[in-house]
Each structure stands twice: as structure tokens, then as C-alpha cells.
Amino acid sequence: MYRKFTAHNIFNGYQVLLPKSVLITTLEGAVVDIIDKADAGDEIEFFEGLITPGFINAHCHTELSYLKGVITPNTGLVQFVQQVMKNRGLLNEVKMQAMLLAEKEMYNSGTVAVGDICNTADSIQLKQKSSLYWHNFIEVSGFTDANAIVRLEGAKNIYQEFTSQLPQPVSLSPHAPYSVSKILFSQLNNETAHQLITIHNQECSAENDLYQQKEGEFLSLYKNWGIDISGFQPTGKTSFQSWLPFFDNNQSILCVHNTFTSQADIDFYKKQAEFKAKLFFCLCVNANKYIEQKLPPIEMLRKNNCDIIIGTDSYASNWQLNILEEIKTIQQDSAGTIPLAEILQWATSNGARALQLDNRLGSFEKNKKPGIVFINHLDELQLTSKSAAKRIL
């Protein structure tokens, strides 16, 4: 038994197909073929809009879902981080209920896989029963060399909890350049050879200030937290150019946010072939607006043929966990100059490739089971304010 789907447009993960194409799947959603409507026979389900493979949310903090509506918007990253730390102490029952609601929103709005940041084991119970696919990034931080090994061992304990209770992939990953010491970066390089990892990259200008001149807002954050950074020496380079050389063991790295990434940074990456690191640049545009009121240099990333993917970040820094709302913001910011098909590719096949799931998700190719999502209220392949995404299968 099969199901047959058609719409005004079908996006297959790479391009919008010719009109009158029909997607054929098994009842469970495995792709059988895409054929012309004239050859498809009867019982074709028609959707007035666009059909796309399921979305890949490449960056989320599901365990922070209990912070929805708690963190004040537009404060800048340093104040945001301090608010998150201040509001961590809630009951596990409250956290679990918030995570369940977050997963439900992602599922219903078309997400099929999530790159999820984990600082605790709080989300294991959710993921044991989840219909979504998860790659769990166990975040490691520690800005002074003195506590680097202790912090790494703590993260390894959480890593073991995940690997012992879940069949999903798990990776150790550095939190951000402003929270990881040189020794910790070196240790993580050794621990993550040939693995997929992630890092928050250049989310605010203060991150570059820290590495270039040992100045900026992070100095007050360290003081407030009682962190002695007298041993930290600025590199005179941007944070990106300072942390990237640590990873030379064939890692694939999801660089998240990139709000203050420059052409010089991209040129630096292109010249560093010996690092053998494959980078994907993850956009979380609504979170950037929520925290810093600034968007990343999307056009610059496009011109450099960077591999772009999309995430939502968390309820702590976003109004929703809906990938289509991220796509809307990108289209609006570009005044419609970026084709919808290109942005959808970032959210589907690019994201699947980044999370190393392209053998099963991201595109309507034979035997894949990528999920099927319907987007309505389009205007000539442009999203409108009324456009919404809904999972079909």
C-alpha cells in the first residue's frame, strides 16, 4: 500500500520540482518515487501550497524550555547568560513538562531531527520516548586551565548517562570561546577526533574584544562569577581565528550564531586546510534578534559558498521553536532576495548532512524516510505572514 502526495509545489530537498509532480511513499513514509501526475493513477492527496521534507533543527537547548518567557529580551549576550544561570533552580517536574511542550511544538511544525545541547541528563527521559531524532551534544565549559580537567570529567559523566540510556549519537562539545580554556580546547580536540561537535561562535562583539584586546563585557562577567582570568593572554585575533586551530583531528563542527563572523574569518578558515575541520554555519536568527537585536552576515556566508544550516536555539532566547519562523525572518531580512528553495535546503538536506543523517533524512530520495511537511499561504514561492508549516507524515 502506498500514499500519493501532490501540491502546487514540491520541494525535494534541493529544488522545487516541475508542476504536477507526485510524491509516492509507503504508509510509513519511506520514499518510493516521484513521478508525473499523469502516471500516478488515483487516490492522490492534494495540498494547496508546498510540500517539503521534514526540517532539521540543527541547534536547540531543549533542557532550557522551562525558561520560556522568563528571560528579558534585548539585553545583550552577557546579561542573557547571567539571567539563564540565575533561573536554573526549578523542580524537575516543571522542566519535564516544558520539554514535552517544546518537543510537541517542534514535531507538529515539521521538525524531524534536532541537534540538542545538553548540560545535564534532564532530557534523557524525554528522548527515550520521543518521535524525533536527536544528536546530543554534551556541552563542556571551564575558562581557567586550573579547573579544565575537572569540568571535562563532569561532562564525561553526563556523556556516559546518555550513551548508557539512549541509542542516539552523543558528542562532547565546547560551549563557547569565552568559556573554554586553552587546555580544555586541547583536551576536547583529543576526545573528539573524527566526530561531530558544535560550538557557539561569535554570538556577540564582546567575544572578539576578549581575544583581541582582553577587553569588553566578559571581564565583568568573570568578575561577577569570581573567575580569575589573570592567566588568560589575548591572541590579538578574533575568537574564531583563536579557537579553530585547536581542532585538527578531522572533526565536523557546527558553528552556531556567527553574528560577528567576518570575511577575514572565512578567509582564515579557507586557508587552514591542514586543520582538516569541516564547518557548517548554523543560523539562529530569531534568537539573535531576541538577545542582540542583530542578525548574522547571511549574504557574506552565501557569497563564500559556506554550508548554511538552521536552528532555533531555546525557549530562553526565542518566542517559538518553529523552523518555518526562522525561514520567514531570513526571507524578510533579505527582502525576498534569497530564493525560498535555497533557504529550505539549509533547513532540510543541508541540516541532514550536517547532523550526518543524509542517508535517511533531508530529501525525497528513494528509501529515505524524511517526513513530509506542508507549508500553506505562499505567494509565488514567497512566505507570507500567514504561512504555517504542518507535519503530514
Side-chain angles (χ1 to χ4, degrees):
M1 294 291 291
Y2 302 105
R3 290 185 69 178
K4 304 172 186 178
F5 305 92
T6 191
H8 289 141
N9 298 104
I10 295 179
F11 174 75
N12 68 358
Y14 308 100
Q15 61 186 353
V16 176
L17 303 179
L18 294 172
K20 299 185 179 180
S21 296
V22 176
L23 169 67
I24 301 177
T25 74
T26 65
L27 295 181
E28 295 77 27
V31 175
V32 176
D33 204 352
I34 296 178
I35 62 176
D36 188 272
K37 186 176 181 181
D39 302 319
D42 300 326
E43 298 183 347
I44 301 172
E45 301 175 52
F46 174 77
F47 292 85
E48 191 169 344
L50 180 143
I51 289 175
T52 175
F55 299 134
I56 312 297
N57 186 345
H59 181 78
C60 190
H61 297 251
T62 307
E63 66 183 32
L64 297 182
S65 296
Y66 65 94
L67 292 176
K68 185 176 184 179
V70 173
I71 307 299
T72 305
N74 308 328
T75 62
L77 182 67
V78 173
Q79 290 298 320
F80 170 81
V81 170
Q82 294 187 85
Q83 287 189 71
V84 170
M85 298 302 293
K86 181 181 177 181
N87 287 281
R88 277 190 177 274
L90 285 179
L91 296 174
N92 287 336
E93 293 81 1
V94 175
K95 293 180 179 180
M96 179 54 65
Q97 184 60 32
M99 286 189 286
L100 287 168
L101 292 174
E103 183 210 26
K104 182 178 180 181
E105 180 189 0
M106 286 192 281
Y107 181 91
N108 289 340
S109 61
T111 291
V112 294
V114 184
D116 200 40
I117 304 297
C118 310
N119 288 277
T120 69
D122 291 348
S123 63
I124 289 178
Q125 183 180 349
L126 168 79
K127 292 165 181 174
Q128 287 172 332
K129 302 177 182 179
S130 177
S131 298
L132 302 178
Y133 184 97
W134 304 83
H135 188 115
N136 303 291
F137 296 103
I138 310 304
E139 200 164 67
V140 189
S141 61
F143 195 61
T144 62
D145 288 340
N147 67 359
I149 303 304
V150 172
R151 299 299 293 271
L152 180 58
E153 290 304 314
K156 283 184 177 180
N157 291 336
I158 297 172
Y159 177 96
Q160 291 298 330
E161 289 190 67
F162 273 83
T163 55
S164 65
Q165 298 183 60
L166 293 172
Q168 303 149 5
V170 186
S171 305
L172 293 171
S173 291
H175 168 240
Y178 60 82
S179 63
V180 176
S181 73
K182 289 183 178 180
I183 286 179
L184 190 50
F185 270 128
S186 296
Q187 290 292 322
L188 285 169
N189 180 49
N190 295 331
E191 295 279 352
T192 62
H194 304 282
Q195 293 184 25
L196 172 64
I197 65 175
T198 189
I199 184 170
H200 296 78
N201 177 62
Q202 294 174 304
E203 193 173 355
C204 66
S205 59
E207 190 177 304
N208 287 331
D209 295 338
L210 176 67
Y211 273 87
Q212 289 172 321
Q213 298 100 17
K214 198 177 179 178
E215 296 177 353
E217 290 184 89
F218 280 113
L219 299 186
S220 61
L221 183 144
Y222 301 138
K223 183 177 180 180
N224 290 342
W225 287 352
I227 298 174
D228 179 9
I229 66 163
S230 58
F232 172 77
Q233 295 298 319
T235 63
K237 302 176 181 178
T238 66
S239 64
F240 178 84
Q241 295 177 39
S242 301
W243 69 258
L244 181 59
F246 282 104
F247 293 99
D248 59 3
N249 276 325
N250 292 286
Q251 289 93 347
S252 291
I253 307 176
L254 312 187
C255 300
V256 181
H257 294 302
N258 315 296
T259 317
F260 290 85
T261 301
S262 67
Q263 181 63 53
D265 292 324
I266 301 301
D267 291 341
F268 178 84
Y269 165 51
K270 290 180 177 180
K271 293 176 182 177
Q272 307 303 314
E274 69 269 22
F275 295 156
K276 299 180 180 178
K278 170 65 176 174
L279 301 189
F280 293 87
F281 293 86
C282 183
L283 307 178
C284 300
V285 290
N286 285 329
N288 299 145
K289 292 181 68 175
Y290 193 106
I291 299 172
E292 290 277 338
Q293 294 181 286
K294 182 177 175 61
L295 296 185
I298 298 174
E299 190 57 35
M300 184 269 289
L301 295 174
R302 291 180 69 219
K303 287 181 178 178
N304 284 276
N305 296 314
C306 295
D307 286 303
I308 300 174
I309 55 180
I310 297 177
T312 61
D313 215 10
S314 72
Y315 274 149
S317 59
N318 204 335
W319 298 270
Q320 68 277 310
L321 303 180
N322 185 332
I323 290 292
L324 189 71
E325 294 302 317
E326 304 296 316
I327 297 173
K328 283 184 182 180
T329 298
I330 293 169
Q331 267 210 335
Q332 290 165 2
D333 182 65
S334 69
T337 58
I338 307 176
L340 178 60
E342 182 179 347
I343 309 176
L344 286 173
Q345 183 172 340
W346 302 345
T348 56
S349 58
N350 276 19
R353 185 159 50 89
L355 290 187
Q356 301 175 354
L357 295 170
D358 46 322
N359 64 329
R360 64 174 82 181
L361 301 176
S363 60
F364 292 140
E365 295 178 84
K366 190 172 182 179
N367 297 325
K368 290 187 180 183
K369 197 175 177 181
I372 303 174
V373 176
F374 165 58
I375 303 174
N376 61 12
H377 294 292
L378 287 92
D379 180 12
E380 298 294 330
L381 288 178
Q382 291 286 324
L383 299 177
T384 68
S385 60
K386 295 183 179 180
S387 295
K390 181 180 180 180
R391 178 189 285 262
I392 300 173
L393 190 62

Short mmCIF file of all heavy atoms in Angstrom, two decimals, residues 8 41 46 54 108 111 113 116 142-143 151 154 159 166 170 189 230 245 256 258 314 318 336 339 353 367 387-388:
data_model
loop_
_atom_site.label_atom_id
_atom_site.label_comp_id
_atom_site.label_asym_id
_atom_site.label_seq_id
_atom_site.Cartn_x
_atom_site.Cartn_y
_atom_site.Cartn_z
N HIS A 8 0.75 22.45 -5.05
CA HIS A 8 1.13 23.44 -6.05
C HIS A 8 2.62 23.32 -6.37
O HIS A 8 3.04 23.49 -7.52
CB HIS A 8 0.82 24.85 -5.55
CG HIS A 8 -0.66 25.14 -5.50
ND1 HIS A 8 -1.24 25.87 -4.49
CD2 HIS A 8 -1.67 24.79 -6.33
CE1 HIS A 8 -2.54 25.98 -4.71
NE2 HIS A 8 -2.83 25.32 -5.82
N GLY A 41 -1.96 7.58 -11.32
CA GLY A 41 -3.21 6.90 -11.02
C GLY A 41 -4.12 7.70 -10.10
O GLY A 41 -4.05 8.94 -10.05
N PHE A 46 -4.03 16.01 -2.48
CA PHE A 46 -3.58 17.32 -2.94
C PHE A 46 -3.53 18.31 -1.78
O PHE A 46 -4.45 18.39 -0.96
CB PHE A 46 -4.52 17.86 -4.03
CG PHE A 46 -4.18 19.27 -4.44
CD1 PHE A 46 -3.10 19.51 -5.28
CD2 PHE A 46 -4.92 20.35 -3.96
CE1 PHE A 46 -2.78 20.81 -5.66
CE2 PHE A 46 -4.60 21.65 -4.34
CZ PHE A 46 -3.53 21.88 -5.19
N GLY A 54 10.90 16.95 5.99
CA GLY A 54 10.91 17.46 7.35
C GLY A 54 12.14 18.30 7.64
O GLY A 54 13.20 18.15 7.03
N ASN A 108 5.03 19.02 15.62
CA ASN A 108 3.85 19.45 14.86
C ASN A 108 4.19 20.44 13.75
O ASN A 108 3.51 20.49 12.72
CB ASN A 108 2.81 20.06 15.80
CG ASN A 108 2.14 19.02 16.67
OD1 ASN A 108 2.14 17.83 16.36
ND2 ASN A 108 1.57 19.46 17.79
N THR A 111 9.56 19.61 12.37
CA THR A 111 10.93 19.19 12.66
C THR A 111 10.98 17.67 12.81
O THR A 111 10.11 17.06 13.44
CB THR A 111 11.43 19.85 13.96
OG1 THR A 111 11.60 21.25 13.73
CG2 THR A 111 12.75 19.26 14.43
N ALA A 113 14.43 16.16 13.21
CA ALA A 113 15.69 15.86 13.90
C ALA A 113 16.21 17.12 14.56
O ALA A 113 16.02 18.23 14.05
CB ALA A 113 16.73 15.30 12.93
N ASP A 116 20.86 18.83 19.77
CA ASP A 116 20.43 19.34 21.07
C ASP A 116 21.60 19.50 22.03
O ASP A 116 22.38 18.56 22.23
CB ASP A 116 19.39 18.39 21.68
CG ASP A 116 18.56 19.05 22.76
OD1 ASP A 116 18.18 20.23 22.57
OD2 ASP A 116 18.26 18.40 23.77
N GLY A 142 34.73 25.72 30.96
CA GLY A 142 35.73 25.91 32.00
C GLY A 142 36.81 26.83 31.46
O GLY A 142 37.65 26.40 30.67
N PHE A 143 36.77 28.10 31.85
CA PHE A 143 37.62 29.10 31.21
C PHE A 143 39.01 29.18 31.81
O PHE A 143 39.89 29.82 31.26
CB PHE A 143 36.95 30.47 31.23
CG PHE A 143 37.59 31.46 30.29
CD1 PHE A 143 37.61 31.22 28.93
CD2 PHE A 143 38.18 32.62 30.77
CE1 PHE A 143 38.21 32.12 28.05
CE2 PHE A 143 38.77 33.53 29.90
CZ PHE A 143 38.79 33.28 28.54
N ARG A 151 36.16 19.87 34.94
CA ARG A 151 34.94 20.14 34.16
C ARG A 151 34.76 19.11 33.05
O ARG A 151 33.64 18.70 32.75
CB ARG A 151 35.01 21.55 33.57
CG ARG A 151 35.11 22.67 34.60
CD ARG A 151 33.89 22.70 35.53
NE ARG A 151 32.68 23.06 34.85
CZ ARG A 151 32.25 24.31 34.69
NH1 ARG A 151 32.96 25.32 35.20
NH2 ARG A 151 31.13 24.56 34.07
N GLY A 154 33.39 15.94 34.55
CA GLY A 154 31.97 16.09 34.83
C GLY A 154 31.12 15.90 33.59
O GLY A 154 30.07 15.24 33.62
N TYR A 159 27.92 12.38 29.65
CA TYR A 159 28.06 11.63 28.39
C TYR A 159 27.74 10.16 28.62
O TYR A 159 26.99 9.54 27.84
CB TYR A 159 29.48 11.81 27.86
CG TYR A 159 29.82 11.05 26.60
CD1 TYR A 159 29.72 11.67 25.36
CD2 TYR A 159 30.25 9.72 26.65
CE1 TYR A 159 30.05 10.97 24.20
CE2 TYR A 159 30.57 9.02 25.51
CZ TYR A 159 30.48 9.66 24.28
OH TYR A 159 30.80 8.97 23.14
N LEU A 166 20.42 5.79 25.95
CA LEU A 166 19.83 6.18 24.68
C LEU A 166 20.59 5.56 23.51
O LEU A 166 21.81 5.44 23.57
CB LEU A 166 19.83 7.70 24.52
CG LEU A 166 18.94 8.53 25.45
CD1 LEU A 166 19.23 10.02 25.27
CD2 LEU A 166 17.47 8.24 25.20
N VAL A 170 25.94 10.75 20.63
CA VAL A 170 26.30 11.69 21.69
C VAL A 170 27.71 12.19 21.42
O VAL A 170 28.59 11.41 21.05
CB VAL A 170 26.24 11.03 23.08
CG1 VAL A 170 26.49 12.06 24.17
CG2 VAL A 170 24.91 10.32 23.29
N ASN A 189 39.92 18.45 21.66
CA ASN A 189 40.42 18.04 20.35
C ASN A 189 40.81 16.56 20.37
O ASN A 189 40.49 15.80 19.45
CB ASN A 189 41.61 18.89 19.95
CG ASN A 189 42.17 18.50 18.59
OD1 ASN A 189 41.44 18.36 17.62
ND2 ASN A 189 43.48 18.31 18.53
N SER A 230 43.50 36.06 35.22
CA SER A 230 44.81 36.72 35.11
C SER A 230 45.75 35.95 34.21
O SER A 230 46.66 36.53 33.61
CB SER A 230 45.42 36.89 36.50
OG SER A 230 45.57 35.63 37.15
N PRO A 245 42.07 26.70 15.26
CA PRO A 245 43.27 25.88 15.11
C PRO A 245 43.42 24.75 16.14
O PRO A 245 44.22 23.84 15.92
CB PRO A 245 44.40 26.90 15.26
CG PRO A 245 43.81 28.20 14.84
CD PRO A 245 42.40 28.14 15.36
N VAL A 256 27.70 27.88 15.59
CA VAL A 256 26.35 28.37 15.82
C VAL A 256 26.36 29.87 16.11
O VAL A 256 27.16 30.36 16.91
CB VAL A 256 25.69 27.61 16.99
CG1 VAL A 256 24.26 28.11 17.20
CG2 VAL A 256 25.69 26.12 16.70
N ASN A 258 27.34 32.92 14.77
CA ASN A 258 28.20 33.57 13.77
C ASN A 258 27.79 35.02 13.50
O ASN A 258 28.02 35.55 12.41
CB ASN A 258 28.18 32.78 12.45
CG ASN A 258 28.32 31.28 12.70
OD1 ASN A 258 29.33 30.83 13.19
ND2 ASN A 258 27.28 30.53 12.36
N SER A 314 16.87 28.18 22.01
CA SER A 314 15.95 27.66 23.03
C SER A 314 14.80 28.61 23.30
O SER A 314 14.79 29.76 22.88
CB SER A 314 16.72 27.42 24.33
OG SER A 314 17.04 28.66 24.94
N ASN A 318 14.04 32.59 22.43
CA ASN A 318 13.20 32.60 21.23
C ASN A 318 11.74 32.55 21.66
O ASN A 318 11.42 32.07 22.76
CB ASN A 318 13.54 31.39 20.34
CG ASN A 318 13.18 31.60 18.88
OD1 ASN A 318 12.30 32.41 18.55
ND2 ASN A 318 13.86 30.88 18.00
N GLY A 336 13.38 39.19 0.42
CA GLY A 336 12.98 38.21 -0.58
C GLY A 336 14.02 37.91 -1.64
O GLY A 336 13.72 37.24 -2.62
N PRO A 339 16.19 32.97 -2.65
CA PRO A 339 15.09 32.09 -3.06
C PRO A 339 14.65 31.16 -1.93
O PRO A 339 15.50 30.66 -1.16
CB PRO A 339 15.70 31.28 -4.22
CG PRO A 339 16.83 32.11 -4.72
CD PRO A 339 17.37 32.84 -3.52
N ARG A 353 22.77 16.64 6.29
CA ARG A 353 24.19 16.36 6.03
C ARG A 353 25.03 16.79 7.23
O ARG A 353 25.97 16.09 7.62
CB ARG A 353 24.61 17.10 4.75
CG ARG A 353 26.01 16.81 4.29
CD ARG A 353 26.15 17.14 2.80
NE ARG A 353 25.64 18.46 2.49
CZ ARG A 353 26.38 19.58 2.52
NH1 ARG A 353 27.66 19.52 2.88
NH2 ARG A 353 25.86 20.75 2.20
N ASN A 367 13.90 5.37 -0.63
CA ASN A 367 14.14 4.63 0.61
C ASN A 367 14.42 5.53 1.82
O ASN A 367 14.49 5.03 2.94
CB ASN A 367 15.28 3.63 0.46
CG ASN A 367 14.97 2.55 -0.55
OD1 ASN A 367 13.81 2.13 -0.68
ND2 ASN A 367 15.97 2.11 -1.31
N SER A 387 1.75 32.22 6.47
CA SER A 387 2.32 30.90 6.17
C SER A 387 2.56 30.11 7.44
O SER A 387 3.09 30.64 8.43
CB SER A 387 3.63 31.05 5.40
OG SER A 387 3.42 31.63 4.12
N ALA A 388 2.20 28.84 7.41
CA ALA A 388 2.42 27.95 8.55
C ALA A 388 2.86 26.59 8.02
O ALA A 388 2.53 26.20 6.90
CB ALA A 388 1.15 27.82 9.38
#
